[in-house]
Amino acid sequence: MASIDTPETLEGALAKVRRLNGSNLPHQSKPAQLLIAIESSLKSTLPAASSSSAVPAYTSTAYFAALFQCLEKAVNDEVGEDEDMAETENMGQGALIPATLYLLAIVIPETPAQVVLSKLSPLLECLLPLFDTALEHPPALRSLLQITTSLLLFATGPILSSSPLLKKAWNYLLELNLDPRPKVRHLAQEGVRKVLTTPVPPKLTAGSHPYLPRAREWVTAHLEEEAKNGGSSSKGKKARFADADDGEGKKVIWIVQGLRGWVAVWGDEVSLPAITTDSSPPNQQQLSSLCSHLLSLPPLPHLTPQIYSLLAHLLSPPPTEIGAKPSVLQNLPTIIDSLLASPPEVKSNSADLSTYLSALTSALIKMSLQDPLSLPAFLPKAFNLIFNTVLLAPSISQAALAAATESIGSQGIIRYCVTDEMILAAVDFKRQGSLEPGARKKQKTPFVTRVIAAVSDAMNTHALKMGSLLPLLTALVSRLRIHVTREGAAQLDLSGSGITAAEELLLDLVTDVGDLRTQKGFEEKPKVDEVVGMAIEVMGVEAVLKALPLNIEPDAYVEWRSLEY
């Protein structure tokens, strides 16, 4: 039976350190030697807490006190006559302070919070000066980051608000999000994420962290600088701990990557229903402002997909099962306009195109929830872009093609953005005879009518795209399942006795598609089955089989007939 992964215990972590006592590598042997020396000292003053191999020989409090005492002595140690440098300047492999920091990073998370907080100020006074000297030594710097994160997680609201040392530590953690070394940078990003998304003791839910405004301010300042300088941070102010070349906007990419981990708590947003006026509190504008900053960034090769991905994440509605109300973005129309005005090239990297389509679709779906009356102003242009420019493009990757199909069909415009009113308008348009050859149109062609016509025409002119077009027809049939009155101006028939909009608008097209299945060499039979199966589900068996060819294959009839039950 496969074992279930469980968090490593304190004794398990310390046992791994002890085993390296005989290592020839100084950075491995020194922490082991220090641990053994501390345990030897504790043995002479304290009784062992346990004899079990699974439980530490001494309590985490005892290890913490001993290591803190060791750190205090080391940082206050002056240069001796036989020494080249003070301990605080010696961060190399095998030095005392890096070994102490390494052990503290293991012990502090397992130590009771009240014990650590009782020594918070003197501990930070020892740790903070070490950041500068540890910059050239990533192992020591990583230990400092882990310790700093643990201290910030232990701190209560009053301590976070009143401690200047903790605020300084928070600034260091933010600035190291721009460190060019991946391991250091990722630890800093993870530290920021943990602090901002973990409830501040004694709270039980995350959010409104006292240091969130400073994090927003830091991110916003860098995004504004990057937008101003065209993605080259070398022209602007450098971060304290980031000293690498910023080719191709690396720093802003790192900021966006790190932001994804905690953007969910970026700022309180107004929930529907909402009044969005200029008099709204500033915190209601935070997410809207962030989206604007992201869209103002320069179109750099590796940055753009990161922005699209983050926007898609930001704009996605909350899961329906948690009962959360969608937030309101005051500048959502501007965001959609910006996305529509600057699509990536179809021939570009498919990842760029896929993430762009995800962002655009998320924005449209959010608009359908936030302001459905404004949605018709954006849908035609969005559909034309995704359908004609992307899906029907002669050369496009399969990943981008699949993304375009989903963006229009099962996960996008047809499923989430087409309203009942749009469907009724399409039914009325047909009943007025506007679809007859040579008929004079009395009104503007409804959006749903244009979508159906576009899909139908493409099936006749783009045979190679049939595998992507058929799922769109399936999505249309599914969405047009509403019942409408049979005569006169179309209205919703809540009794269910009326005809479905799908039968009135799509039955002819479904008939044509059903005929394709009997053609020799046709490769998309499974997708035709999906179309006809959905038609039977929505329109009913009788309506569909009356319209389909009489020479339909017997096995297919049985398969489609079974979908009704």
Side-chain angles (χ1 to χ4, degrees):
M1 188 172 87
S3 62
I4 300 176
D5 292 336
T6 56
E8 188 174 38
T9 62
L10 175 60
E11 176 53 32
L14 295 178
K16 289 181 179 179
V17 175
R18 290 190 204 97
R19 287 199 294 268
L20 297 173
N21 184 38
S23 173
N24 294 324
L25 301 175
H27 72 280
Q28 293 182 346
S29 60
K30 185 65 177 181
Q33 293 165 4
L34 176 60
L35 175 61
I36 291 171
I38 285 175
E39 289 178 333
S40 176
S41 176
L42 291 174
K43 184 177 181 180
S44 63
T45 56
L46 296 174
S50 173
S51 59
S52 170
S53 60
V55 178
Y58 302 95
T59 65
S60 56
T61 299
Y63 282 113
F64 170 72
L67 287 167
F68 177 49
Q69 186 178 15
C70 179
L71 180 66
E72 274 191 314
K73 184 178 184 303
V75 298
N76 293 319
D77 189 28
E78 298 181 356
V79 180
E81 295 181 358
D82 58 341
E83 295 177 322
D84 295 330
M85 64 179 72
E87 287 290 354
T88 53
E89 298 175 355
N90 185 5
M91 289 287 176
Q93 294 184 358
L96 176 60
I97 287 183
T100 307
L101 295 175
Y102 181 79
L103 293 176
L104 277 171
I106 295 174
V107 170
I108 286 180
E110 304 299 328
T111 306
Q114 62 270 26
V115 173
V116 177
L117 293 177
S118 69
K119 298 292 184 181
L120 183 62
S121 291
L123 180 57
L124 285 171
E125 288 172 356
C126 293
L127 293 173
L128 294 179
L130 299 178
F131 273 92
D132 283 318
T133 51
L135 278 179
E136 303 301 323
H137 305 280
L141 189 57
R142 293 198 296 270
S143 296
L144 279 170
L145 287 171
Q146 291 172 300
I147 295 170
T148 299
T149 300
S150 296
L151 297 179
L152 288 163
L153 289 172
F154 279 151
T156 61
I159 294 175
L160 290 165
S161 300
S162 62
S163 172
L165 294 176
L166 266 182
K167 293 176 182 178
K168 187 175 183 180
W170 178 243
N171 284 332
Y172 285 177
L173 196 61
L174 287 173
E175 291 176 26
L176 283 165
N177 274 244
L178 299 182
D179 194 279
R181 294 160 293 194
K183 289 183 179 180
V184 172
R185 183 173 67 255
H186 292 162
L187 264 181
Q189 291 173 340
E190 180 64 7
V192 171
R193 184 198 67 79
K194 284 182 178 179
V195 170
L196 293 179
T197 60
T198 301
V200 177
K203 290 183 179 180
L204 299 179
T205 56
S208 301
H209 193 283
Y211 290 173
L212 177 59
R214 171 58 187 142
R216 284 196 301 242
E217 175 189 321
W218 182 83
V219 169
T220 300
H222 278 283
L223 293 181
E224 289 176 346
E225 181 181 310
E226 294 293 336
K228 179 181 178 181
N229 297 328
S232 176
S233 295
S234 59
K235 300 176 185 178
K237 180 181 177 181
K238 289 187 176 180
R240 176 187 178 92
F241 297 127
D243 205 21
D245 176 55
D246 187 33
E248 296 185 349
K250 288 181 181 178
K251 290 179 183 177
V252 72
I253 292 174
W254 299 336
I255 290 173
V256 172
Q257 287 174 338
L259 181 58
R260 187 179 182 88
W262 57 273
V263 73
V265 296
W266 174 269
D268 295 332
E269 274 284 294
V270 186
S271 294
L272 288 175
I275 300 175
T276 55
T277 68
D278 292 338
S279 61
S280 299
N283 62 346
Q284 297 179 3
Q285 314 289 335
Q286 296 294 347
L287 201 53
S288 297
S289 176
L290 174 61
C291 290
S292 296
H293 285 306
L294 291 171
L295 289 170
S296 69
L297 292 171
L300 299 174
H302 299 291
L303 172 61
T304 300
Q306 295 284 347
I307 294 173
Y308 290 149
S309 178
L310 183 58
L311 282 172
H313 178 68
L314 280 170
L315 297 169
S316 297
T320 54
E321 61 267 18
I322 66 175
K325 293 183 178 180
S327 58
V328 170
L329 288 180
Q330 297 178 357
N331 63 341
L332 184 57
T334 303
I335 293 171
I336 296 177
D337 278 333
S338 298
L339 288 170
L340 289 173
S342 56
E345 293 184 10
V346 174
K347 295 182 180 179
S348 65
N349 189 302
S350 62
D352 291 16
L353 198 53
S354 297
T355 52
Y356 167 81
L357 292 174
S358 177
L360 178 58
T361 306
S362 296
L364 292 170
I365 294 173
K366 190 170 186 67
M367 175 68 82
S368 72
L369 298 170
Q370 173 177 316
D371 187 10
L373 294 179
S374 298
L375 191 60
F378 300 97
L379 284 182
K381 186 174 181 180
F383 175 78
N384 180 65
L385 171 66
I386 302 173
F387 187 77
N388 293 313
T389 306
V390 180
L391 192 147
L392 297 184
S395 57
I396 185 175
S397 70
Q398 287 300 313
L401 187 60
T405 303
E406 286 193 350
S407 295
I408 297 174
S410 62
Q411 301 301 318
I413 291 174
I414 293 173
R415 179 175 180 181
Y416 295 108
C417 300
V418 170
T419 64
D420 289 351
E421 291 74 19
M422 294 179 187
I423 298 172
L424 293 175
V427 174
D428 273 338
F429 190 76
K430 181 181 180 182
R431 289 181 178 180
Q432 292 169 2
S434 299
L435 294 180
E436 298 297 328
R440 184 176 180 181
K441 296 181 181 178
K442 300 179 182 179
Q443 61 180 359
K444 185 178 179 181
T445 305
F447 175 69
V448 172
T449 304
R450 293 167 62 181
V451 172
I452 294 172
V455 173
S456 178
D457 292 344
M459 286 182 174
N460 294 325
T461 58
H462 294 75
L464 294 178
K465 300 285 186 177
M466 193 63 74
S468 299
L469 296 171
L470 289 171
L472 301 187
L473 181 54
T474 302
L476 279 168
V477 173
S478 178
R479 180 61 190 92
L480 270 60
R481 66 177 62 233
I482 64 171
H483 289 260
V484 298
T485 52
R486 292 181 178 273
E487 297 178 354
Q491 295 179 352
L492 287 176
D493 183 348
L494 300 180
S495 68
S497 60
I499 188 174
T500 63
E503 182 176 348
E504 184 153 349
L505 297 175
L506 296 172
L507 185 56
D508 290 343
L509 187 53
V510 170
T511 301
D512 293 339
V513 166
D515 189 45
L516 291 175
R517 197 183 190 282
T518 63
Q519 295 181 4
K520 291 185 177 180
F522 184 70
E523 298 179 353
E524 302 294 346
K525 290 182 179 181
K527 292 183 178 179
V528 171
D529 289 348
E530 292 176 6
V531 172
V532 179
M534 181 59 70
I536 290 175
E537 176 187 323
V538 172
M539 305 176 197
V541 175
E542 183 178 357
V544 174
L545 296 186
K546 274 184 179 180
L548 284 172
L550 295 177
N551 61 344
I552 191 169
E553 297 176 18
D555 61 332
Y557 173 84
V558 172
E559 180 182 346
W560 293 337
R561 183 72 177 84
S562 66
L563 291 173
E564 176 72 6
Y565 298 101

